[in-house]
Amino acid sequence: MRRRRNIGWVSLIVALGLALGMSFIPSPYVIEQPGPVFNTLGTTTHDGTEVPLISITGAPTYPTAGALDMLTVSVVGTPQSLPSWAEVISAWFDPSRAAVPVDAVYPPSVTVEQRDQENTAMMVDSQQEAIAAALTDLSIPFTTTVTVAQLADNSAATGVLDVGDVIDSVNGTPVTTVDGLRKAVTANGDASPATLVITRKGAQQTVTVTPKKADDGTILLGIAASASYQFPFTVDIQLDNVGGPSAGMMFALGIIDQLTPGQLNGGKNVAGTGTITADGTVGPIGGIRQKLFGAKQNGASYFLAPSSNCDEVTGHVPGGLTVYAVSTLTDSLTALNDISSGTGLDSLPTCDSVQASK
């Protein structure tokens, strides 16, 4: 009996020692968890002053109510300061948190500073795309400029196009979007040269480029193009210390709500996430499960999720939150109209129905 007691005490001491050790031993993971929630119809703090998150000048605006929340994900840990194994194990048992390999969040070839700069750039781009998408939906005209942002080595355009060139047209078709440029190049094919009208340093000229076919069959000029927009009035989005493109859809909805009479959400608390392009396409984002819990914790009853994220949503929705699947800005507006009126909700696609149809 004495021997059994001694073995029991030894086992307990070893277990406590292991638990204590795990509290300090760093793991190869970081932890993703729900981050701050921002109401695109509300205010935020900028440089120590409370300001509207979205402010519009030069166009009529209308009162809003309720919330159109955008969600964020906070990351616990960096390559230099990793969570302990005890913290990681705790995250594994918490549905609102996720332990992910540190290299998935912080690639070894990219510094933390570079990652932050990239996320900031993506946030700026998403805001411009959101404004363009909102104005497109409202049929408010604006000007789009498509510019050569990068040239691939030994590409079809090497020696013909330069970084900074504005592409005005391809084979006589005006270029107003990056997607439009891609479609025009694809239509041209790789068997004959395409005629491009470009503006370089303020002077317009005509050049010819014969696209190349990639291994996957894609027809390419071998450039990275970016779009910039000139809007007829000012839309200022102020949001400090938040990066990435995932708030695009909610920015667009917040802008439309201000520019149109009434309340898109009927004064209710609606959250959502998704990237957006100027033509209103809603794209997938990361950290969808953490964002679902962030929305619920902040009091949302409804959530608009990209259809392309539905495989991650199904089976992971916190109780009391209804999730609708959207693929376009039009889908989001339809969902908000039904949420506002309280009718037609049963006919809206959910992630469960999207997954069941696959």
Side-chain angles (χ1 to χ4, degrees):
M1 290 292 293
R2 187 179 297 114
R3 185 177 179 184
R4 288 200 191 98
R5 279 197 296 270
N6 288 339
I7 291 173
W9 279 108
V10 169
S11 299
L12 178 60
I13 291 169
V14 169
L16 290 173
L18 288 172
L20 183 61
M22 290 174 65
S23 298
F24 297 100
I25 298 172
S27 71
Y29 296 91
V30 292
I31 298 169
E32 292 181 340
Q33 62 187 23
V37 177
F38 300 93
N39 180 9
T40 61
L41 305 178
T43 60
T44 186
T45 301
H46 178 70
D47 292 337
T49 303
E50 189 172 357
V51 296
L53 195 151
I54 299 175
S55 57
I56 300 173
T57 54
T61 58
Y62 302 88
T64 61
L68 290 173
D69 286 336
M70 53 160 284
L71 296 312
T72 66
V73 175
S74 294
V75 177
V76 178
T78 66
Q80 293 74 37
S81 179
L82 292 166
S84 68
W85 276 106
E87 293 173 291
V88 168
I89 291 171
S90 174
W92 284 338
F93 290 95
D94 184 343
S96 71
R97 306 167 77 205
V100 297
V102 62
D103 289 353
V105 179
Y106 297 97
S109 60
V110 180
T111 66
V112 174
E113 291 74 19
Q114 289 171 330
R115 174 181 176 272
D116 291 344
Q117 289 171 359
E118 183 179 358
N119 281 334
T120 298
M122 287 192 290
M123 169 59 79
V124 172
D125 287 345
S126 76
Q127 292 175 358
Q128 293 300 297
E129 293 290 320
I131 299 169
L135 269 58
T136 297
D137 179 81
L138 296 172
S139 299
I140 298 173
F142 58 92
T143 303
T144 307
T145 301
V146 177
T147 305
V148 178
Q150 244 178 345
L151 274 167
D153 293 337
N154 301 316
S155 72
T158 299
V160 181
L161 298 178
D162 291 338
V163 171
D165 287 349
V166 175
I167 301 178
D168 300 315
S169 67
V170 175
N171 294 334
T173 301
V175 172
T176 58
T177 65
V178 174
D179 188 55
L181 170 62
R182 189 179 299 113
K183 289 177 179 177
V185 172
T186 299
N188 182 88
D190 65 329
S192 59
T195 301
L196 280 63
V197 176
I198 65 171
T199 300
R200 179 179 295 167
K201 297 180 179 178
Q204 198 171 68
Q205 57 182 283
T206 300
V207 299
T208 58
V209 181
T210 301
K212 294 181 179 180
K213 182 180 289 187
D215 293 340
D216 63 357
T218 306
I219 306 299
L220 301 172
L221 287 179
I223 67 171
S226 63
S228 59
Y229 307 103
Q230 296 77 49
F231 301 117
F233 48 82
T234 300
V235 180
D236 193 14
I237 301 175
Q238 300 188 80
L239 190 59
D240 294 344
N241 302 317
V242 177
S246 64
M249 180 185 72
M250 298 310 292
F251 286 147
L253 292 174
I255 294 165
I256 292 172
D257 205 357
Q258 286 200 40
L259 290 173
T260 53
Q263 290 85 40
L264 291 182
N265 54 8
K268 298 174 183 177
N269 189 343
V270 181
T273 188
T275 64
I276 201 160
T277 56
D279 65 359
T281 301
V282 174
I285 54 84
I288 185 73
R289 295 179 188 176
Q290 286 70 49
K291 291 176 180 179
L292 290 168
F293 280 91
K296 176 61 180 175
Q297 292 166 7
N298 203 60
S301 301
Y302 305 96
F303 191 100
L304 307 180
S307 297
S308 43
N309 278 122
C310 279
D311 58 335
E312 300 174 79
V313 171
T314 300
H316 299 279
V317 179
L321 187 67
T322 302
V323 180
Y324 296 114
V326 298
S327 298
T328 65
L329 184 60
T330 299
D331 291 343
S332 301
L333 291 166
T334 298
L336 286 176
N337 180 71
D338 291 353
I339 290 169
S340 174
S341 65
T343 59
L345 295 175
D346 290 342
S347 64
L348 292 174
T350 64
C351 275
D352 287 344
S353 64
V354 168
Q355 287 302 103
S357 66
K358 290 185 177 181

mmCIF file with all atom_site columns, all heavy atoms in Angstrom, residues 213-230:
data_model
loop_
_atom_site.group_PDB
_atom_site.id
_atom_site.type_symbol
_atom_site.label_atom_id
_atom_site.label_alt_id
_atom_site.label_comp_id
_atom_site.label_asym_id
_atom_site.label_entity_id
_atom_site.label_seq_id
_atom_site.pdbx_PDB_ins_code
_atom_site.Cartn_x
_atom_site.Cartn_y
_atom_site.Cartn_z
_atom_site.occupancy
_atom_site.B_iso_or_equiv
_atom_site.pdbx_formal_charge
_atom_site.auth_seq_id
_atom_site.auth_comp_id
_atom_site.auth_asym_id
_atom_site.auth_atom_id
_atom_site.pdbx_PDB_model_num
ATOM 1   N N   . LYS A 1 213 ? 0.658   31.988 -73.913 1.00 0.00 ? 213 LYS A N   1
ATOM 2   C CA  . LYS A 1 213 ? -0.233  31.045 -73.244 1.00 0.00 ? 213 LYS A CA  1
ATOM 3   C C   . LYS A 1 213 ? 0.536   30.344 -72.127 1.00 0.00 ? 213 LYS A C   1
ATOM 4   O O   . LYS A 1 213 ? 1.614   29.773 -72.356 1.00 0.00 ? 213 LYS A O   1
ATOM 5   C CB  . LYS A 1 213 ? -0.779  30.009 -74.224 1.00 0.00 ? 213 LYS A CB  1
ATOM 6   C CG  . LYS A 1 213 ? -1.760  29.022 -73.581 1.00 0.00 ? 213 LYS A CG  1
ATOM 7   C CD  . LYS A 1 213 ? -2.275  28.002 -74.591 1.00 0.00 ? 213 LYS A CD  1
ATOM 8   C CE  . LYS A 1 213 ? -3.210  28.636 -75.584 1.00 0.00 ? 213 LYS A CE  1
ATOM 9   N NZ  . LYS A 1 213 ? -3.854  27.608 -76.464 1.00 0.00 ? 213 LYS A NZ  1
ATOM 10  N N   . ALA A 1 214 ? -0.015  30.387 -70.914 1.00 0.00 ? 214 ALA A N   1
ATOM 11  C CA  . ALA A 1 214 ? 0.604   29.728 -69.771 1.00 0.00 ? 214 ALA A CA  1
ATOM 12  C C   . ALA A 1 214 ? 0.335   28.226 -69.825 1.00 0.00 ? 214 ALA A C   1
ATOM 13  O O   . ALA A 1 214 ? -0.475  27.752 -70.629 1.00 0.00 ? 214 ALA A O   1
ATOM 14  C CB  . ALA A 1 214 ? 0.067   30.310 -68.467 1.00 0.00 ? 214 ALA A CB  1
ATOM 15  N N   . ASP A 1 215 ? 1.010   27.489 -68.970 1.00 0.00 ? 215 ASP A N   1
ATOM 16  C CA  . ASP A 1 215 ? 0.855   26.026 -68.946 1.00 0.00 ? 215 ASP A CA  1
ATOM 17  C C   . ASP A 1 215 ? -0.584  25.595 -68.692 1.00 0.00 ? 215 ASP A C   1
ATOM 18  O O   . ASP A 1 215 ? -1.018  24.541 -69.158 1.00 0.00 ? 215 ASP A O   1
ATOM 19  C CB  . ASP A 1 215 ? 1.777   25.417 -67.880 1.00 0.00 ? 215 ASP A CB  1
ATOM 20  C CG  . ASP A 1 215 ? 3.247   25.569 -68.229 1.00 0.00 ? 215 ASP A CG  1
ATOM 21  O OD1 . ASP A 1 215 ? 3.543   25.783 -69.425 1.00 0.00 ? 215 ASP A OD1 1
ATOM 22  O OD2 . ASP A 1 215 ? 4.083   25.496 -67.317 1.00 0.00 ? 215 ASP A OD2 1
ATOM 23  N N   . ASP A 1 216 ? -1.324  26.433 -67.935 1.00 0.00 ? 216 ASP A N   1
ATOM 24  C CA  . ASP A 1 216 ? -2.714  26.073 -67.638 1.00 0.00 ? 216 ASP A CA  1
ATOM 25  C C   . ASP A 1 216 ? -3.690  26.576 -68.694 1.00 0.00 ? 216 ASP A C   1
ATOM 26  O O   . ASP A 1 216 ? -4.911  26.486 -68.526 1.00 0.00 ? 216 ASP A O   1
ATOM 27  C CB  . ASP A 1 216 ? -3.109  26.610 -66.259 1.00 0.00 ? 216 ASP A CB  1
ATOM 28  C CG  . ASP A 1 216 ? -3.071  28.133 -66.182 1.00 0.00 ? 216 ASP A CG  1
ATOM 29  O OD1 . ASP A 1 216 ? -2.679  28.782 -67.177 1.00 0.00 ? 216 ASP A OD1 1
ATOM 30  O OD2 . ASP A 1 216 ? -3.415  28.682 -65.112 1.00 0.00 ? 216 ASP A OD2 1
ATOM 31  N N   . GLY A 1 217 ? -3.155  27.152 -69.778 1.00 0.00 ? 217 GLY A N   1
ATOM 32  C CA  . GLY A 1 217 ? -4.004  27.618 -70.860 1.00 0.00 ? 217 GLY A CA  1
ATOM 33  C C   . GLY A 1 217 ? -4.401  29.080 -70.768 1.00 0.00 ? 217 GLY A C   1
ATOM 34  O O   . GLY A 1 217 ? -5.017  29.621 -71.687 1.00 0.00 ? 217 GLY A O   1
ATOM 35  N N   . THR A 1 218 ? -4.048  29.740 -69.679 1.00 0.00 ? 218 THR A N   1
ATOM 36  C CA  . THR A 1 218 ? -4.387  31.156 -69.502 1.00 0.00 ? 218 THR A CA  1
ATOM 37  C C   . THR A 1 218 ? -3.586  32.022 -70.468 1.00 0.00 ? 218 THR A C   1
ATOM 38  O O   . THR A 1 218 ? -2.385  31.805 -70.664 1.00 0.00 ? 218 THR A O   1
ATOM 39  C CB  . THR A 1 218 ? -4.088  31.596 -68.055 1.00 0.00 ? 218 THR A CB  1
ATOM 40  O OG1 . THR A 1 218 ? -4.757  30.727 -67.156 1.00 0.00 ? 218 THR A OG1 1
ATOM 41  C CG2 . THR A 1 218 ? -4.561  33.023 -67.820 1.00 0.00 ? 218 THR A CG2 1
ATOM 42  N N   . ILE A 1 219 ? -4.235  32.989 -71.083 1.00 0.00 ? 219 ILE A N   1
ATOM 43  C CA  . ILE A 1 219 ? -3.584  33.917 -72.001 1.00 0.00 ? 219 ILE A CA  1
ATOM 44  C C   . ILE A 1 219 ? -3.105  35.126 -71.196 1.00 0.00 ? 219 ILE A C   1
ATOM 45  O O   . ILE A 1 219 ? -3.900  35.780 -70.509 1.00 0.00 ? 219 ILE A O   1
ATOM 46  C CB  . ILE A 1 219 ? -4.544  34.371 -73.115 1.00 0.00 ? 219 ILE A CB  1
ATOM 47  C CG1 . ILE A 1 219 ? -5.150  33.150 -73.825 1.00 0.00 ? 219 ILE A CG1 1
ATOM 48  C CG2 . ILE A 1 219 ? -3.820  35.270 -74.110 1.00 0.00 ? 219 ILE A CG2 1
ATOM 49  C CD1 . ILE A 1 219 ? -4.129  32.264 -74.497 1.00 0.00 ? 219 ILE A CD1 1
ATOM 50  N N   . LEU A 1 220 ? -1.806  35.428 -71.298 1.00 0.00 ? 220 LEU A N   1
ATOM 51  C CA  . LEU A 1 220 ? -1.220  36.434 -70.417 1.00 0.00 ? 220 LEU A CA  1
ATOM 52  C C   . LEU A 1 220 ? -0.404  37.479 -71.172 1.00 0.00 ? 220 LEU A C   1
ATOM 53  O O   . LEU A 1 220 ? 0.308   37.152 -72.131 1.00 0.00 ? 220 LEU A O   1
ATOM 54  C CB  . LEU A 1 220 ? -0.299  35.764 -69.383 1.00 0.00 ? 220 LEU A CB  1
ATOM 55  C CG  . LEU A 1 220 ? -0.917  34.711 -68.464 1.00 0.00 ? 220 LEU A CG  1
ATOM 56  C CD1 . LEU A 1 220 ? 0.184   34.034 -67.650 1.00 0.00 ? 220 LEU A CD1 1
ATOM 57  C CD2 . LEU A 1 220 ? -1.939  35.359 -67.538 1.00 0.00 ? 220 LEU A CD2 1
ATOM 58  N N   . LEU A 1 221 ? -0.501  38.727 -70.698 1.00 0.00 ? 221 LEU A N   1
ATOM 59  C CA  . LEU A 1 221 ? 0.434   39.762 -71.129 1.00 0.00 ? 221 LEU A CA  1
ATOM 60  C C   . LEU A 1 221 ? 1.720   39.692 -70.320 1.00 0.00 ? 221 LEU A C   1
ATOM 61  O O   . LEU A 1 221 ? 2.754   40.203 -70.739 1.00 0.00 ? 221 LEU A O   1
ATOM 62  C CB  . LEU A 1 221 ? -0.184  41.156 -70.954 1.00 0.00 ? 221 LEU A CB  1
ATOM 63  C CG  . LEU A 1 221 ? -1.278  41.590 -71.925 1.00 0.00 ? 221 LEU A CG  1
ATOM 64  C CD1 . LEU A 1 221 ? -1.770  42.975 -71.568 1.00 0.00 ? 221 LEU A CD1 1
ATOM 65  C CD2 . LEU A 1 221 ? -0.781  41.545 -73.362 1.00 0.00 ? 221 LEU A CD2 1
ATOM 66  N N   . GLY A 1 222 ? 1.621   39.080 -69.145 1.00 0.00 ? 222 GLY A N   1
ATOM 67  C CA  . GLY A 1 222 ? 2.787   39.005 -68.271 1.00 0.00 ? 222 GLY A CA  1
ATOM 68  C C   . GLY A 1 222 ? 2.952   40.241 -67.412 1.00 0.00 ? 222 GLY A C   1
ATOM 69  O O   . GLY A 1 222 ? 4.078   40.649 -67.090 1.00 0.00 ? 222 GLY A O   1
ATOM 70  N N   . ILE A 1 223 ? 1.835   40.852 -67.034 1.00 0.00 ? 223 ILE A N   1
ATOM 71  C CA  . ILE A 1 223 ? 1.871   42.028 -66.170 1.00 0.00 ? 223 ILE A CA  1
ATOM 72  C C   . ILE A 1 223 ? 0.931   41.818 -64.983 1.00 0.00 ? 223 ILE A C   1
ATOM 73  O O   . ILE A 1 223 ? 0.026   40.985 -65.032 1.00 0.00 ? 223 ILE A O   1
ATOM 74  C CB  . ILE A 1 223 ? 1.454   43.319 -66.911 1.00 0.00 ? 223 ILE A CB  1
ATOM 75  C CG1 . ILE A 1 223 ? -0.048  43.237 -67.304 1.00 0.00 ? 223 ILE A CG1 1
ATOM 76  C CG2 . ILE A 1 223 ? 2.320   43.554 -68.139 1.00 0.00 ? 223 ILE A CG2 1
ATOM 77  C CD1 . ILE A 1 223 ? -0.616  44.542 -67.835 1.00 0.00 ? 223 ILE A CD1 1
ATOM 78  N N   . ALA A 1 224 ? 1.175   42.579 -63.935 1.00 0.00 ? 224 ALA A N   1
ATOM 79  C CA  . ALA A 1 224 ? 0.195   42.716 -62.861 1.00 0.00 ? 224 ALA A CA  1
ATOM 80  C C   . ALA A 1 224 ? -0.410  44.105 -63.009 1.00 0.00 ? 224 ALA A C   1
ATOM 81  O O   . ALA A 1 224 ? 0.334   45.096 -63.115 1.00 0.00 ? 224 ALA A O   1
ATOM 82  C CB  . ALA A 1 224 ? 0.866   42.563 -61.494 1.00 0.00 ? 224 ALA A CB  1
ATOM 83  N N   . ALA A 1 225 ? -1.719  44.164 -63.087 1.00 0.00 ? 225 ALA A N   1
ATOM 84  C CA  . ALA A 1 225 ? -2.396  45.447 -63.293 1.00 0.00 ? 225 ALA A CA  1
ATOM 85  C C   . ALA A 1 225 ? -3.146  45.847 -62.028 1.00 0.00 ? 225 ALA A C   1
ATOM 86  O O   . ALA A 1 225 ? -3.608  44.999 -61.265 1.00 0.00 ? 225 ALA A O   1
ATOM 87  C CB  . ALA A 1 225 ? -3.364  45.349 -64.463 1.00 0.00 ? 225 ALA A CB  1
ATOM 88  N N   . SER A 1 226 ? -3.253  47.132 -61.811 1.00 0.00 ? 226 SER A N   1
ATOM 89  C CA  . SER A 1 226 ? -4.016  47.639 -60.670 1.00 0.00 ? 226 SER A CA  1
ATOM 90  C C   . SER A 1 226 ? -4.977  48.710 -61.157 1.00 0.00 ? 226 SER A C   1
ATOM 91  O O   . SER A 1 226 ? -4.716  49.385 -62.162 1.00 0.00 ? 226 SER A O   1
ATOM 92  C CB  . SER A 1 226 ? -3.085  48.213 -59.595 1.00 0.00 ? 226 SER A CB  1
ATOM 93  O OG  . SER A 1 226 ? -2.377  49.327 -60.098 1.00 0.00 ? 226 SER A OG  1
ATOM 94  N N   . ALA A 1 227 ? -6.078  48.840 -60.443 1.00 0.00 ? 227 ALA A N   1
ATOM 95  C CA  . ALA A 1 227 ? -7.090  49.834 -60.812 1.00 0.00 ? 227 ALA A CA  1
ATOM 96  C C   . ALA A 1 227 ? -7.114  50.957 -59.776 1.00 0.00 ? 227 ALA A C   1
ATOM 97  O O   . ALA A 1 227 ? -6.993  50.710 -58.576 1.00 0.00 ? 227 ALA A O   1
ATOM 98  C CB  . ALA A 1 227 ? -8.467  49.185 -60.909 1.00 0.00 ? 227 ALA A CB  1
ATOM 99  N N   . SER A 1 228 ? -7.226  52.158 -60.259 1.00 0.00 ? 228 SER A N   1
ATOM 100 C CA  . SER A 1 228 ? -7.439  53.297 -59.363 1.00 0.00 ? 228 SER A CA  1
ATOM 101 C C   . SER A 1 228 ? -8.686  54.032 -59.838 1.00 0.00 ? 228 SER A C   1
ATOM 102 O O   . SER A 1 228 ? -9.034  53.983 -61.026 1.00 0.00 ? 228 SER A O   1
ATOM 103 C CB  . SER A 1 228 ? -6.224  54.231 -59.358 1.00 0.00 ? 228 SER A CB  1
ATOM 104 O OG  . SER A 1 228 ? -5.955  54.716 -60.662 1.00 0.00 ? 228 SER A OG  1
ATOM 105 N N   . TYR A 1 229 ? -9.345  54.696 -58.894 1.00 0.00 ? 229 TYR A N   1
ATOM 106 C CA  . TYR A 1 229 ? -10.642 55.285 -59.202 1.00 0.00 ? 229 TYR A CA  1
ATOM 107 C C   . TYR A 1 229 ? -10.660 56.778 -58.880 1.00 0.00 ? 229 TYR A C   1
ATOM 108 O O   . TYR A 1 229 ? -9.999  57.229 -57.937 1.00 0.00 ? 229 TYR A O   1
ATOM 109 C CB  . TYR A 1 229 ? -11.743 54.584 -58.393 1.00 0.00 ? 229 TYR A CB  1
ATOM 110 C CG  . TYR A 1 229 ? -11.732 53.085 -58.545 1.00 0.00 ? 229 TYR A CG  1
ATOM 111 C CD1 . TYR A 1 229 ? -11.222 52.259 -57.542 1.00 0.00 ? 229 TYR A CD1 1
ATOM 112 C CD2 . TYR A 1 229 ? -12.211 52.471 -59.704 1.00 0.00 ? 229 TYR A CD2 1
ATOM 113 C CE1 . TYR A 1 229 ? -11.201 50.875 -57.681 1.00 0.00 ? 229 TYR A CE1 1
ATOM 114 C CE2 . TYR A 1 229 ? -12.193 51.097 -59.857 1.00 0.00 ? 229 TYR A CE2 1
ATOM 115 C CZ  . TYR A 1 229 ? -11.687 50.307 -58.843 1.00 0.00 ? 229 TYR A CZ  1
ATOM 116 O OH  . TYR A 1 229 ? -11.659 48.942 -58.991 1.00 0.00 ? 229 TYR A OH  1
ATOM 117 N N   . GLN A 1 230 ? -11.406 57.511 -59.679 1.00 0.00 ? 230 GLN A N   1
ATOM 118 C CA  . GLN A 1 230 ? -11.643 58.923 -59.411 1.00 0.00 ? 230 GLN A CA  1
ATOM 119 C C   . GLN A 1 230 ? -13.146 59.086 -59.198 1.00 0.00 ? 230 GLN A C   1
ATOM 120 O O   . GLN A 1 230 ? -13.933 58.984 -60.152 1.00 0.00 ? 230 GLN A O   1
ATOM 121 C CB  . GLN A 1 230 ? -11.161 59.797 -60.581 1.00 0.00 ? 230 GLN A CB  1
ATOM 122 C CG  . GLN A 1 230 ? -9.647  59.742 -60.832 1.00 0.00 ? 230 GLN A CG  1
ATOM 123 C CD  . GLN A 1 230 ? -9.196  58.486 -61.540 1.00 0.00 ? 230 GLN A CD  1
ATOM 124 O OE1 . GLN A 1 230 ? -9.786  58.094 -62.566 1.00 0.00 ? 230 GLN A OE1 1
ATOM 125 N NE2 . GLN A 1 230 ? -8.166  57.832 -61.023 1.00 0.00 ? 230 GLN A NE2 1
#
